[in-house]
Structure formats: structure tokens, C-alpha cells
Amino acid sequence: MLWITAEGAFTDPRRRPVRLRPGIAHLVRRAPEAVVVPLALEYPFWDESTPEALARFGEPMPASDVAGRPVPDIAGALERRLETTMDTLALDAQSRDPARFLTLIDGSAGGGGVYDLWRRARAWAGGQRFTPGHGDAPDQKGIPR
């Protein structure tokens, strides 16, 4: 398994068109037995003070499908697949719907410190249950989604 930043640098996920460095196309030509899987990552802020880490894997592509083509053609095919994966993830991220994702690790919710102390006291004074998150509907743990 090889993970690389094929653009040659970390870039904004909204930047279009996606342009990859030619090295990834050369690797695909040299390893026709490989399978190339595009991966899009975003770190949007939804309801908490820390970002969500979102990932989407794109459609796998056997390198043998393009290995015999010229390097610019291979790069173009990879760019289109990555851009499609990035666009799909962007739509999912903008929906702010956690049901579109499989949660691998839950982080903490709430602002912490004096802010949450104030919110906790206000909930207690009002006879309500304190939930540290900022979302609307609490889940089974009492933490809003």
C-alpha cells in the first residue's frame, strides 16, 4: 500500500481543476497489477469547536485499465476520478448529516471550561439535562448529533 499526495502539496479541497503531478501516472504505468483508489479528505467545522475529519474512498481502478496509455492520459483519468470523489465528499460534508458517514472515532463535545460550566448551571437551574454538544437532537448518549 502506498499513500501519496499526488498533487505534490496539500491543497484546498475546493480547488478545481484537480491537477496531479506526473509521478503518479508513471507509477501506474510501472505497476499494472496495482489498484488505484482515490481518497478525498475534508476537515469541516459542524457543531463543535473542533473539526470533523471526513474521508471518502472513490471507485477503485485497476492500473491495468490505463497502464498502456501515455502519461498525460493516465494522469487525466486519475484526476477525473479524484475530482469526482472530492465533489461527492463535499456534498456529503455540506449536508452536515452524520448518517451519511460511518463514525470510526467519537470525539468530545462542547466548548469546555467556563462556557460549559455556565451552560451546565443554566440547564440544572431550568430542570433540564445538560448535553455538552451544540446540535439539536440528542442521541442515546445524550450527546447531540
Side-chain angles (χ1 to χ4, degrees):
M1 182 179 297
L2 173 67
W3 296 61
I4 62 169
T5 304
E7 290 175 288
F10 293 110
T11 59
D12 189 292
R14 295 164 294 232
R15 185 174 175 189
R16 298 292 182 272
V18 171
R19 292 289 179 237
L20 304 180
R21 305 289 296 168
I24 185 69
H26 286 287
L27 281 173
V28 168
R29 285 186 78 180
R30 291 188 179 144
E33 69 283 355
V35 175
V36 180
V37 182
L39 171 61
L41 300 170
E42 282 200 31
Y43 301 95
F45 286 85
W46 282 357
D47 295 322
E48 300 303 330
S49 61
T50 55
E52 305 290 330
L54 306 178
R56 174 171 288 283
F57 289 97
E59 193 67 33
M61 180 181 73
S64 60
D65 288 358
V66 294
R69 296 185 190 169
V71 166
D73 291 354
I74 296 170
L78 298 174
E79 289 166 350
R80 286 187 296 278
R81 285 195 181 235
L82 180 56
E83 192 168 307
T84 297
T85 305
M86 292 168 68
D87 290 345
T88 303
L89 178 59
L91 291 173
D92 287 338
Q94 290 170 29
S95 77
R96 298 170 63 110
D97 180 5
R100 290 186 175 194
F101 298 92
L102 170 65
T103 301
L104 299 178
I105 300 172
D106 273 328
S108 61
V114 174
Y115 175 65
D116 270 355
L117 183 61
W118 166 251
R119 291 176 60 227
R120 186 179 301 276
R122 193 173 68 188
W124 176 78
Q128 298 175 354
R129 182 176 176 194
F130 172 71
T131 55
H134 292 93
D136 294 332
D139 68 9
Q140 295 137 345
K141 297 180 207 165
I143 298 173
R145 288 190 149 309

